[in-house]
């Protein structure tokens, strides 16, 4: 439900250096855990997707099963614990294949004027500020939501699709207010043994080798 913004100064968006929260996703039709720590010593993120069938990357390899996207140490891994599979989707340290690293506070600092404040919106019962964020898809905006009362993230909604643009599957994560923590145990980003020496995922959505990756710091 959209709420018009009061006639006040435009707020500044903030993104914590580290936090973890349970989320619900209308686009992915699932729930899960979102964890990130952009500090220099950690620089990692982990997105646990309860059912990866509605996710652009996960669904290209397995459906109707849990999928984890672990971004750490230069790689983005796709980990499917229930079917005992893991592969490297891409690396964000060299090459030419677009692969985003862990998201840090700089993605909402508006250094390039890519944010626009849109007012307030209700997210899971909370009143939240809303911004549009220009991303990598021309003509398609991403959105960030921040709790008016606490300043903590309410959610993100990044444009994406399943196999074609006619199948919307945004990277949407609407965070539960209960249990949102601003510290994350470093073990959250532990790379499973089966992932360390895993193959490259290849296919239509991932790189087939380390020479097909690029450094993209969000």
């Amino acid at each position: 439900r959209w709420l018009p913004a009061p006639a006040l100064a435009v707020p500044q968006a903030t993104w914590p250096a580290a936090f973890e929260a349970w989320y619900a996703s209308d686009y992915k039709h699932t729930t899960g855990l979102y964890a990130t720590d952009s500090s220099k010593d950690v620089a990692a993120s982990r997105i646990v997707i309860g059912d990866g069938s509605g996710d652009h990357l996960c669904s290209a390899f397995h459906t109707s099963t849990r999928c984890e996207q672990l971004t750490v140490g230069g790689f983005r891994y796709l980990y499917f614990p229930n079917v005992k599979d893991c592969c490297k989707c891409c690396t964000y340290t060299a090459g030419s294949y677009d692969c985003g690293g862990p998201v840090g506070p700089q993605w909402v600092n508006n250094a390039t004027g890519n944010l626009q404040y849109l007012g307030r919106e209700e997210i899971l019962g909370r009143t939240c500020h809303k911004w549009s964020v220009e991303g990598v898809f021309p003509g398609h905006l991403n959105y960030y939501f921040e709790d008016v009362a606490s300043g903590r993230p309410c959610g993100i909604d990044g444009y994406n699709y399943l196999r074609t643009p006619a199948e919307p599957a945004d990277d949407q994560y609407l965070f539960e207010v209960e249990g949102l923590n601003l510290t994350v145990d470093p073990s959250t980003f532990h790379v499973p043994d089966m992932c360390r020496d895993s193959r490259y995922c290849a296919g239509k959505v991932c790189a087939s080798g380390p020479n097909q990756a690029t450094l993209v710091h969000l």
Side-chain angles (χ1 to χ4, degrees):
R1 183 168 62 91
W2 181 83
L3 301 174
L8 300 173
V10 175
Q12 172 64 49
T14 59
W15 177 266
F19 77 93
E20 66 177 358
W22 296 102
Y23 72 82
S25 180
D26 298 327
Y27 278 93
K28 296 183 187 297
H29 308 291
T30 192
T31 58
L33 177 73
Y34 188 103
T36 184
D37 187 336
S38 60
S39 64
K40 183 178 179 180
D41 293 338
V42 181
S45 68
R46 179 185 177 204
I47 304 173
V48 178
I49 303 171
D51 179 354
S53 300
D55 181 80
H56 176 71
L57 297 179
C58 299
S59 64
F61 302 97
H62 298 285
T63 57
S64 301
T65 192
R66 172 171 166 160
C67 174
E68 300 187 17
Q69 296 185 18
L70 178 61
T71 305
V72 63
F75 295 100
R76 179 180 296 180
Y77 301 91
L78 300 184
Y79 176 44
F80 303 89
N82 294 339
V83 297
K84 296 180 171 57
D85 189 23
C86 187
C87 59
K88 299 181 182 79
C89 184
C90 50
T91 174
Y92 49 94
T93 57
S96 59
Y97 184 94
D98 285 343
C99 181
V103 175
Q106 63 270 31
W107 89 282
V108 295
N109 68 9
N110 205 25
T112 61
N114 63 325
L115 267 70
Q116 181 178 352
Y117 184 61
L118 301 179
R120 298 182 177 189
E121 188 168 317
E122 292 289 329
I123 301 291
L124 300 183
R126 290 180 290 167
T127 300
C128 305
H129 295 300
K130 179 180 182 179
W131 289 266
S132 62
V133 187
E134 294 180 8
V136 298
F137 293 98
H140 296 281
L141 296 173
N142 306 311
Y143 299 95
Y144 174 55
F145 307 90
E146 182 180 295
D147 186 65
V148 170
S150 69
R152 295 184 175 190
C154 289
I156 56 178
D157 186 344
Y159 171 77
N160 211 337
Y161 53 83
L162 204 57
R163 300 278 72 83
T164 72
E167 302 171 286
D170 282 10
D171 294 324
Q172 179 202 56
Y173 309 101
L174 305 179
F175 304 127
E176 300 282 353
V177 64
E178 299 294 337
L180 191 151
N181 298 315
L182 295 178
T183 57
V184 186
D185 191 318
S187 66
T188 300
F189 310 111
H190 172 74
V191 179
D193 290 341
M194 71 178 305
C195 294
R196 292 187 180 277
D197 297 318
S198 61
R199 72 193 187 282
Y200 274 82
C201 303
K204 294 183 178 180
V205 298
C206 289
S208 59
N211 62 334
Q212 294 179 284
T214 191
L215 175 60
V216 180
H217 286 304
L218 299 181

